[in-house]
Amino acid sequence: AGDVRIGHVAGDASNDPPEECEEFTAKVIICNRVGHIQVGYTPMVDCHTAHVVCKLKAIPSKISLLTGKEIETNPKYLRTGDCAMVVLVPTNKPLCVEPFSEYPPLGRITWRDQQQTVAIGIIKSVTKKRVLVGKASTN
């Protein structure tokens, strides 16, 4: 129990073990942001007990809040009230997240910037980091 700390994720190692993500796609609603959010923005992302800075890699689409359908492809920016699919990359620490449809507690996120909640959302898909398992060679 001494090895378990805040932010760690426990799971079944033989059946879908938790793994660090390389990037993830999320559906977010921008709640409170002065100005525009564009590719390169780096909010603090909160997921379960983890707080990790992530970089906004891409905004594939903007979505209608009323119909849930795509209304714009590759928008240049987002502002308060917009709903969009976004791709985020953790930058300062490893992050373990999962799609909301599979593991809801690991699939909810909030974006924070300057002690304010900027956006809320759910994770739709995750690209896991590939970990090479095997014998290390020494020369």
Side-chain angles (χ1 to χ4, degrees):
D3 294 337
V4 178
R5 299 174 194 240
I6 292 174
H8 286 184
V9 176
D12 184 353
S14 62
N15 180 26
D16 196 18
E19 296 176 327
E20 180 181 345
C21 76
E22 187 172 310
E23 68 181 29
F24 59 95
T25 302
K27 181 179 180 180
V28 296
I29 299 172
I30 310 302
C31 303
N32 182 19
R33 175 70 179 164
V34 176
H36 300 299
I37 293 174
Q38 55 193 7
V39 171
Y41 177 61
T42 53
M44 176 67 70
V45 173
D46 297 342
C47 182
H48 51 95
T49 59
H51 312 287
V52 178
V53 175
C54 291
K55 184 175 185 177
L56 182 58
K57 180 179 176 181
I59 308 170
S61 63
K62 197 184 286 190
I63 300 166
S64 168
L65 282 170
L66 298 175
T67 64
K69 294 183 181 183
E70 182 178 306
I71 56 175
E72 187 178 347
T73 304
N74 297 317
K76 292 190 185 282
Y77 60 86
L78 301 172
R79 56 183 171 204
T80 300
D82 286 345
C83 178
M85 295 297 287
V86 297
V87 180
L88 293 158
V89 179
T91 61
N92 66 335
K93 290 191 275 189
L95 180 62
C96 177
V97 294
E98 296 289 344
F100 180 79
S101 60
E102 295 174 28
Y103 299 98
L106 295 175
R108 295 182 186 97
I109 61 170
T110 59
W111 291 3
R112 296 189 52 80
D113 194 358
Q114 299 176 3
Q115 286 86 38
Q116 290 190 339
T117 300
V118 174
I120 57 172
I122 59 171
I123 296 171
K124 293 294 199 173
S125 66
V126 178
T127 302
K128 308 273 180 140
K129 271 200 175 170
R130 296 286 174 216
V131 178
L132 299 176
V133 177
K135 194 172 179 181
S137 63
T138 56
N139 294 339

